[in-house]
Amino acid sequence: MAKVIGAITTSHVPAIGAAIARELREDPYWKPFFAGYPPAQRWLAARRPDVAVIFYNDHGLNFFLDKMPTFAIGAAPEYRNADEGWGIPTVPPVAGDQRLSWHLIERLVDEEFDVTTCQELLIDHACTMPLALLWPGRDAWPVRIVPICINTVQHPLPSAARCFKLGQAVGRAIRGYDEDLRVVVLGSGGLSHQLDGERAGFINRAFDLEFMQTLPGDPRWATRHSIPELVEHAGTQGIELLMWIAARAALEGEVRTVHSHYHIPISNTAAGLMVMETFSP
Amino acid sequence: MSARSRQSIPGTTLFDGTQAIKGYALNKMCYSFNSAANREEFKRAEDSYCRRYGLSEAQRDAVRRRNVLDMIAAGGNVYYLAKLAGIFGLDVQDLGAQQTGTTKEAFKAKLEAAGR
């Protein structure tokens, strides 16, 4: 049977892609950010997942306002990155796992999550950046992926409580899969930031730190807030923390933090990273 | 509900159904800028490009003046507007500085101060 080996949650910022392409890891601005990643990379190298299920939010690469699914799940043999219009270099295609995708789709719909299924799906920086950060310097990605996109573009967004339940259902579905796969669940987004309006540049260190501190042991802490309340605390784009909530919810039992890192700022964003796994004494 | 939530957070517009309806033409144009050829065409012939997407007077005016707050007031969503801003060589910190009425240096300094 398949196994969820853990969850990794990380920020994604377009500028990170440009920094990787220009080899700025040692640059004084970037170093404190990239310095957070080697422990996560080592954890992955030791745990060797076969598949990454990735919760992310599309920023207007694949989905436009003509059709905006609340939850969309990839079911493609391969996923391609493409021009997002703001000059980030594209990364190589990533292999999918169609059989696992359809298993997740069947189980999720069974559990009353009416997901949109995508046999073609362009993946944007939110989906590719965790791969580039966690498996750097690769010509080919060492994992297959199943992308799950949660709408954060157009309100109403699904509530934090709903995203938590989605993550739980994804975790149950993976654990019920009949292949001996090792699966890591990734959550890509956040933490606090706001790009738009007179409040642009808003960052909330205290909220982020409390969110990160509660996520492993009390993951429902953030789900007590409505979406507008979370936007107030974390910013209009900080609401991407929904991806962290979903990824954490895929873990069962007692969860411990293997590694965490927090750095302000990258571009306009408070950048966070967490590696979590189910506690086994 | 949507009107109340829009007003409840200072300096913040939640992009909801009201905004999505109002901003559709502008956002659709910005979405087209995922294509390099379209970005070039906009640069070559801005007026006719905007006309083709049916921008409202307020949207056309905000684009002409490169004014982000006015684009948002006209229904623009920042995820799409960022693609337009890229054509003008503006990044999200330029956008932040413009919207908060400060210089890019001061805006960046404020972000760094948030980490201390």
Side-chain angles (χ1 to χ4, degrees):
Chain A
M1 299 300 280
K3 190 174 174 219
V4 179
I5 62 161
I8 301 182
T9 53
T10 174
S11 301
H12 61 244
V13 179
I16 299 169
I20 291 173
R22 289 161 57 206
E23 300 190 349
L24 293 177
R25 282 191 182 81
E26 294 298 317
D27 176 89
Y29 180 84
W30 288 100
K31 198 171 179 177
F33 167 76
F34 282 109
Y37 286 81
Q41 294 156 3
R42 286 195 292 271
W43 181 85
L44 282 166
R47 301 293 186 291
R48 295 184 328 281
D50 306 295
V51 177
V53 172
I54 309 178
F55 290 100
Y56 78 107
N57 58 298
D58 180 82
H59 300 65
L61 176 63
N62 190 83
F63 296 112
F64 179 59
L65 303 172
D66 58 338
K67 303 168 197 74
M68 183 57 70
T70 296
F71 299 129
I73 176 166
E78 179 182 87
Y79 301 92
R80 289 183 175 270
N81 184 213
D83 189 345
E84 296 182 49
W86 40 47
I88 331 172
T90 54
V91 302
V94 193
D97 186 324
Q98 287 181 293
R99 190 169 175 271
L100 176 60
S101 283
W102 282 102
H103 171 77
L104 294 182
I105 291 163
E106 284 166 15
R107 297 294 290 264
L108 288 171
V109 173
D110 225 31
E111 292 208 35
E112 301 180 348
F113 288 92
D114 305 318
V115 292
T116 299
T117 59
C118 308
Q119 288 210 61
E120 291 185 45
L121 181 68
L122 292 174
I123 50 173
D124 78 351
H125 69 277
C127 188
T128 63
M129 201 143 289
L131 303 175
L133 285 167
L134 296 170
W135 291 280
R138 301 287 191 124
D139 293 329
W141 305 112
V143 285
R144 306 187 293 281
I145 63 168
V146 177
I148 303 178
C149 183
I150 300 179
N151 163 40
T152 61
V153 172
Q154 175 180 273
H155 292 252
L157 312 185
S159 71
R162 182 68 172 155
C163 292
F164 185 83
K165 287 180 193 162
L166 174 71
Q168 284 183 310
V170 166
R172 275 192 295 274
I174 295 168
R175 287 187 291 273
Y177 189 54
D178 63 4
E179 276 184 52
D180 286 331
L181 289 183
R182 303 169 60 76
V183 180
V184 64
V185 180
L186 307 182
S188 173
L191 289 171
S192 63
H193 65 300
Q194 176 153 341
L195 304 178
D196 49 336
E198 292 87 346
R199 206 172 74 132
F202 174 79
I203 282 179
N204 189 344
R205 182 188 169 91
F207 177 82
D208 287 341
L209 292 178
E210 187 162 11
F211 175 67
M212 290 175 78
Q213 195 231 315
T214 53
L215 193 62
D218 182 16
R220 290 175 190 272
W221 176 79
T223 70
R224 293 173 199 130
H225 294 288
S226 69
I227 291 291
E229 283 165 3
L230 287 171
V231 169
E232 184 162 16
H233 290 308
T236 40
Q237 281 72 46
I239 195 65
E240 293 167 347
L241 58 80
L242 294 174
M243 314 304 147
W244 289 47
I245 292 169
R248 160 62 185 87
L251 304 182
E252 66 175 350
E254 247 184 86
V255 170
R256 72 179 193 104
T257 303
V258 177
H259 173 63
S260 79
H261 184 73
Y262 183 71
H263 172 69
I264 296 174
I266 283 304
S267 189
N268 290 16
T269 302
L273 166 70
M274 288 184 81
V275 181
M276 292 166 277
E277 65 184 8
T278 299
F279 183 74
S280 43
Chain B
M1 160 63 200
S2 59
R4 193 172 67 239
S5 56
R6 273 208 305 283
Q7 287 163 5
S8 64
I9 307 168
T12 302
T13 305
L14 289 189
F15 187 81
D16 60 7
T18 305
Q19 294 300 103
I21 293 169
K22 198 201 294 179
Y24 195 76
L26 172 60
N27 290 319
K28 187 165 179 176
M29 180 178 85
C30 292
Y31 180 65
S32 78
F33 297 140
N34 281 336
S35 146
N38 289 344
R39 297 196 291 272
E40 285 310 310
E41 199 185 331
F42 175 87
K43 280 195 253 183
R44 224 172 19 243
E46 182 172 326
D47 261 324
S48 64
Y49 202 92
C50 290
R51 256 199 315 278
R52 193 189 320 156
Y53 280 88
L55 267 56
S56 69
E57 202 46 56
Q59 290 169 346
R60 179 66 191 102
D61 187 51
V63 171
R64 193 179 288 117
R65 289 183 295 103
R66 318 299 194 228
N67 186 299
V68 180
L69 288 177
D70 288 349
M71 290 182 210
I72 292 170
N77 177 298
V78 74
Y79 288 126
Y80 307 112
L81 297 180
K83 300 175 197 289
L84 171 65
I87 296 179
F88 308 138
L90 303 174
D91 63 26
V92 290
Q93 286 156 0
D94 293 304
L95 299 190
Q98 188 200 95
Q99 294 175 93
T100 55
T102 185
T103 63
K104 189 174 185 179
E105 287 66 37
F107 186 75
K108 287 170 86 164
K110 188 186 135 192
L111 290 165
E112 300 208 358
R116 290 194 286 269

